[in-house]
Every structure is written in structure tokens, then in C-alpha cells.
Amino acid sequence: MSEEKKEFSSTLGIVFSCMGTVVGTGNVWRFPRIAAQNSASQGTLIFLITWMLFLFIWSSPMLLIEYVIGRYYKKTPIQSFQRAMGDKFIWCGGWVSSVTFFISCYYAVILGWCLYYLYEMIRLCIVSELPQTEEESALIFDNLTNSAWPALFHGLAIFLAGACVIGGITWIEKVNLVLVPTLLVIIVVTYTWSVLQPFGDYGIRFLFTPDVESLSNAKLWVDALTQNAFDTGAAMGLIVPYATYMSAKNGVVKFATMIPLMNNLVSLICAITIFGTVFSTLVNSNPSLSRTGIVEIIKTTGPASTGLTFVWIPILFGSLGVVGKLLCIMFFLCLCFAGLSTVIADVEHTSQTLCNFGLSRRLATPVCGLLMFSIGLPSALSIQVLDNQDFIWGFALLPSGLMFQALVFKVGWNTFKEDMVNKYGIGDWPLTNVTMVIILIVAPIEAIALLIWWIYDEISATADNDPGSRWYDFGLETLMTCFVTWIALIILLVICNVIAYHIRPSWMRQSNRVGDVSSTVDAEAGDIGMKSMSLDEKRTPGTKPVP
């Protein structure tokens, strides 16, 4: 119980913890590969513009909802949905938490890759040299993914995150105050080296060159939205547990605006670094290679470009001599930091959910770790399975966003805007009607429209494909596989919701949801009022009261 009463000790602790949640391998590993997959023959700018657009009309508003309900209800998504929408809609919060949990299971595999690469780069720097060519570097990645090493490092990644989470928010805050600033410094240093490389500007120009024809590609729009959601953690519910440790004095509108902006800037810097490195290396080694040829190499570095960062970053630093060795070790160390800070948030999300169901933190955290390891193990042993999980659960962030929007709709425009934000927060930016229109009108329309467009595009594009890759086949990345998985999860969650509704477990009967929230608001307001009163008593005659 004492854990739930604690708060962040400083604003800096909140900023770096929330940054740690969203800045991770999704920025350094996933964003460059998704950008590569959506690069047209002329360039990638259309994808970048679309991706940035969704920051303002999807990710930032969704994160605002997470900050608000976490701070207001002081519960994880499942019980926040219960208190906002009623006992019959617990399954909606269950969907959000389940999607995030499944993403975290394979995300921990990526952190395992980072840990392996840190070990391998240190070993190479000591006994030999870093890879100089794409073939040498790709061999390291292939050896990793075709061995049992990913399973071992997958387990290590979860163990490290669990060790940080088991001590509660105090430990989490202290860890992120070290991890995140170090990560940001190394990203900036790496970026600076990459843009100064000969022919690196070729890759940067390609990244910022538009190809208008790509606007008609439905997958580009869906990838842009889901990548921005993946980048920022929007609709994943990861911010909700952290927001439970925030008070009325912590401005949720400010955080929901500034942290996603900083996160997207990090992603863009990482994309510039990777594209500049790839073009520089390939033009130097093979001057006759065309731009189209370079783009195809980018797209085929591992299944769905999964090896893009891991293949090309060692090549960049391998060309810099002794300094490059040091930078390479520091880069993968900080990539480990980035992934660890996000997996910490993943473990905290599931652990706090289990705590809300009555488990102690010291039991909930090991249970969470064991489940993450077991479900993520197939992804660790097969990169094809990992790619399948990324396809299914990455797109599932769209329905998750719709769940959060439904929560706001149920709560009501004025209640959410005024009672939960504007009248609750102290010193925050005001929540405007424009943002409310985006949350309740624009965002639902764009989510539904993109889902329909994506479905139509997938059906028309894959109808004549080989068996196993048509939309109605059960393939690794087919609509049928995706929808059957989603429907199975929804059925399971609804069944659990019906059972819980009828047996009324203790966590559902804990307290009246309105009374619980009211007591929290009153306590915070009373605390602030007492501070104001004491200051008023001390003021000298003729001075203005303290607001």
C-alpha cells in the first residue's frame, strides 16, 4: 500500500522516467527500418511528414489521456477503465494492457540483441577489428539470430528490468536519471560523426526528398501512425502507471506535448544517422551503385529490415579507428540503456496491474518476468516469429487508441476537460477545445478510416500472391492471422470480464470509484490549500494574497 502513496521526488525524475518509457530501441532500431520499408524510389520525406502529422493528431492526444487517467484514478489501465466506464467495460482496459504486454515480450528480445552486441563489440575491439563491410557485419547479425544467444540475453534483459522495478518508483526514478541523459549524449555524438562522413549527405538528401506517388500507399499511412504510436508509447498504457505517481502540481498537458516532441526529434536524429551511414559506406565501397540499389540493400538488411541498425552502426564506427571502437561500445551501451528504460516501464506496467489485483510487488514482478520470458521465447528463437509479433501487435495500437477515446467519450467532454484536467492541475497549460475535438472526433475517424483503407489495400494487393501470403491465408504477415489473433484475444477478455462481473472479486469491490477519486482530489486540493493558508498567514499587511 505504501508504494501507491509515493510520488516522483522531482520534475527531472518525471521527465527522464517518461522519456525513458518512450525513447528506446523503437527510436534507434525500429524507426529507421520502418522508414526504410516505406522509402519510395525518390525518397522518404512523404513518410516523415505523415509520421510527424500523426504526432499532433494521434500520439500526443492519446498520451494526454494516459497522463490524465493515471494521475486522476491512480490505477493501471484495467481498473482505470473500470472506474471510468463501469464493470462491463473492464475488457477494454484488458485489451490495452494485453497488447502492451505482448509487445513487451518481443521488445525484450530486441534489448537482448543490444546486450549481445555490446558484448560482441567489446570482444571484437579487444581481439580483432570491427567489421568493415556489409557482408562482415551481416554475418555477425546472422550468427546471432541463428543461435541460442537471443534466448539467453532475452532472459538477462528481463532480469535486469525486474531488478530495477522490484524496488518501486524510487528505484525506477534513480535508474532513469542515469540511463536517459547518457543515452541522449551518445546519440548526439553518434549523429555528429555520421553526418561528417564523406557522401553521408547523399543519404540525408534521400531521406528528405519527397515522392508524391507514395501518398496513395495505404500501408505508408498505417505504418506512419503505428510507428509514431510505437515511438511515443501512445495508446500502450505505459504512461498510466507512471502517472499514478504524479500529483496535481505535475502538468500533464505540458508533459503530453513536450515529451513526444523530444522523442520524435530523437527518432529523426537516429534515422539521419543510419541513412547517412549506409549511403556513405556503400558509395565509398561501390561507387557504381545506384540510389535505387542502395535503397534495396537498406530494405533487405534482415527480414523486414530488422538488422538495419545492427548491421550498419558497426561499419560506421569501424572506419574511425581507435575512436570508432570507443564510440561503438558507447553506442551499444546506450542502446542497452534505451531498451532497458523501456522494458522497465513494460515490467512496471504489468507488475502494477498485478498489484492492483492483490499481489505484492515482490511477487508480482517475478511473475511478470516469468510470463514475459515464456511468451517472448519463440521470438527470441526465430526472427520470423518476432516479425510476426511486431506485425500483429504493432497494428493493434490502433484499436487500443479507440479504447482510450471511448473512455473519454464515456466520461464526457466537460468532465474530462474541466474536472480531470483544467480544475485539477496546478500551473499546467489549459486543455483546449481544439484538443478535445482531436480526441473525440478527429482521432476516431482517422483510426477507423486507416483500418478500413489498410484492410482494402491488403486484400487487393495480396489476392494473387503465392499460397501462404494471400490475405486469407494463415501466414506470418497476413490479415487473416492478424484478425484471428485479435478476435481470439477479445473473446478471451470478454469471457474473463463476464466471469469477474458475476463473481465480483475483491479488487472490483474495493471501493466506490467516485469516492476513491474524490478523496484523492480532495486530499491534493487540501494539501495545496493548507500551503496557501500558511503563506497567507505570514504575509505582511498590504501585500496581495498568495494565489
Side-chain angles (χ1 to χ4, degrees):
M1 293 298 291
S2 61
E3 170 64 26
E4 293 187 19
K5 296 179 182 178
K6 291 182 180 179
E7 295 179 358
F8 285 102
S9 63
S10 66
T11 301
L12 204 60
I14 300 175
V15 171
F16 284 131
S17 294
C18 292
M19 281 288 289
T21 301
V22 298
V23 175
T25 59
N27 306 74
V28 186
W29 165 74
R30 196 178 193 272
F31 179 70
R33 79 176 181 88
I34 295 297
Q37 287 178 276
N38 287 280
S39 295
S41 58
Q42 299 302 313
T44 316
L45 183 60
I46 296 299
F47 172 78
L48 295 181
I49 292 173
T50 310
W51 166 75
M52 184 59 75
L53 172 67
F54 283 125
L55 172 68
F56 299 104
I57 64 174
W58 181 268
S59 297
S60 189
M62 293 307 99
L63 286 168
L64 174 62
I65 299 173
E66 293 192 36
Y67 279 110
V68 171
I69 67 173
R71 185 183 67 172
Y72 192 79
Y73 292 116
K74 302 296 182 184
K75 295 292 182 182
T76 50
I78 292 179
Q79 289 187 314
S80 293
F81 272 84
Q82 177 204 0
R83 299 186 177 201
M85 302 180 70
D87 294 343
K88 294 180 179 179
F89 294 93
I90 296 174
W91 69 272
C92 295
W95 168 272
V96 172
S97 294
S98 298
V99 168
T100 302
F101 173 73
F102 285 121
I103 289 176
S104 70
C105 291
Y106 74 81
Y107 189 94
V109 175
I110 308 303
L111 174 55
W113 289 359
C114 299
L115 292 170
Y116 172 85
Y117 258 75
L118 175 61
Y119 155 75
E120 184 66 12
M121 293 304 109
I122 293 174
R123 189 187 69 82
L124 287 176
C125 288
I126 294 173
V127 303
S128 59
E129 296 292 333
L130 294 174
Q132 302 293 315
T133 66
E134 191 249 344
E135 290 78 12
E136 292 177 4
S137 193
L139 183 61
I140 297 173
F141 185 74
D142 291 340
N143 289 338
L144 166 65
T145 55
N146 292 315
S147 69
W149 281 112
L152 175 64
F153 282 97
H154 169 58
L156 178 60
I158 295 172
F159 173 81
L160 291 173
C164 297
V165 168
I166 204 165
I169 193 61
T170 304
W171 288 19
I172 293 171
E173 182 177 2
K174 288 179 179 178
V175 169
N176 281 313
L177 281 170
V178 175
L179 296 183
V180 178
T182 310
L183 162 71
L184 296 177
V185 169
I186 298 302
I187 285 177
V188 171
V189 171
T190 308
Y191 162 79
T192 303
W193 274 103
S194 70
V195 297
L196 293 176
Q197 296 307 297
F199 306 110
D201 60 308
Y202 285 27
I204 298 171
R205 284 207 300 268
F206 177 81
L207 191 64
F208 290 100
T209 299
D211 191 324
V212 181
E213 291 183 3
S214 60
L215 282 170
S216 61
N217 182 3
K219 190 173 184 299
L220 180 145
W221 289 82
V222 176
D223 277 354
L225 190 152
T226 55
Q227 175 56 36
N228 206 299
F230 199 100
D231 260 359
T232 58
M236 293 178 72
L238 291 177
I239 290 297
V240 177
Y242 280 179
T244 63
Y245 301 111
M246 297 170 71
S247 70
K249 294 173 285 185
N250 303 129
V252 293
V253 180
K254 292 179 181 178
F255 280 110
T257 303
M258 298 307 299
I259 289 180
L261 275 171
M262 290 187 286
N263 173 79
N264 272 31
L265 177 61
V266 172
S267 291
L268 194 57
I269 289 173
C270 292
I272 293 172
T273 301
I274 297 298
F275 274 70
T277 299
V278 173
F279 273 77
S280 171
T281 304
L282 290 177
V283 170
N284 274 312
S285 61
N286 189 356
S288 63
L289 197 61
S290 67
R291 180 173 59 186
T292 305
I294 294 175
V295 173
E296 285 305 311
I297 290 174
I298 293 175
K299 291 183 177 182
T300 56
T301 305
S305 305
T306 46
L308 188 58
T309 299
F310 295 96
V311 169
W312 291 104
I313 284 295
I315 295 174
L316 163 66
F317 292 125
S319 63
L320 303 177
V322 176
V323 175
K325 289 182 177 181
L326 178 61
L327 284 173
C328 188
I329 292 172
M330 293 177 68
F331 175 83
F332 281 104
L333 174 64
C334 289
L335 191 56
C336 292
F337 285 180
L340 180 59
S341 65
T342 303
V343 176
I344 287 172
D346 291 331
V347 176
E348 170 64 14
H349 172 270
T350 304
S351 296
Q352 196 180 131
T353 300
L354 295 175
C355 288
N356 287 170
F357 289 150
L359 272 68
S360 67
R361 179 169 287 270
R362 292 192 176 276
L363 178 60
T365 303
V367 168
C368 168
L370 183 61
L371 289 172
M372 284 180 63
F373 177 78
S374 301
I375 296 175
L377 189 58
S379 295
L381 297 176
S382 170
I383 197 171
Q384 286 75 24
V385 174
L386 186 147
D387 201 31
N388 162 265
Q389 293 296 288
D390 192 35
F391 173 79
I392 291 173
W393 302 118
F395 286 133
L397 292 175
L398 278 172
S400 290
L402 289 170
M403 302 292 183
F404 277 110
Q405 294 149 21
L407 181 149
V408 178
F409 183 82
K410 178 70 173 178
V411 167
W413 180 300
N414 286 330
T415 300
F416 185 84
K417 177 173 175 281
E418 299 299 332
D419 296 345
M420 297 176 70
V421 182
N422 290 341
K423 293 179 181 178
Y424 188 117
I426 307 297
D428 195 8
W429 295 340
L431 175 56
T432 65
N433 286 327
V434 173
T435 303
M436 291 302 298
V437 168
I438 293 174
I439 290 173
L440 291 176
I441 299 175
V442 176
I445 290 174
E446 68 185 87
I448 294 170
L450 281 174
L451 279 171
I452 293 172
W453 190 10
W454 172 59
I455 292 168
Y456 171 79
D457 188 70
E458 285 291 309
I459 290 174
S460 59
T462 64
D464 298 326
N465 283 6
D466 294 333
S469 59
R470 295 167 296 194
W471 71 269
Y472 51 84
D473 292 328
F474 286 97
L476 287 175
E477 293 188 43
T478 62
L479 277 179
M480 183 62 71
T481 300
C482 185
F483 286 155
V484 168
T485 306
W486 289 3
I487 292 169
L489 177 60
I490 290 173
I491 292 173
L492 178 62
L493 291 171
V494 171
I495 291 172
C496 292
N497 196 158
V498 171
I499 294 173
Y501 182 79
H502 286 287
I503 66 174
R504 309 293 298 174
S506 59
W507 58 267
M508 286 182 67
R509 293 182 277 104
Q510 233 170 22
S511 59
N512 180 280
R513 50 182 183 268
V514 176
D516 234 20
V517 173
S518 297
S519 64
T520 302
V521 176
D522 290 344
E524 292 192 358
D527 179 58
I528 294 166
M530 288 297 291
K531 290 179 181 177
S532 298
M533 185 184 298
S534 63
L535 289 171
D536 281 346
E537 290 170 353
K538 294 178 182 178
R539 66 186 178 91
T540 55
T543 58
K544 293 182 179 180
V546 177

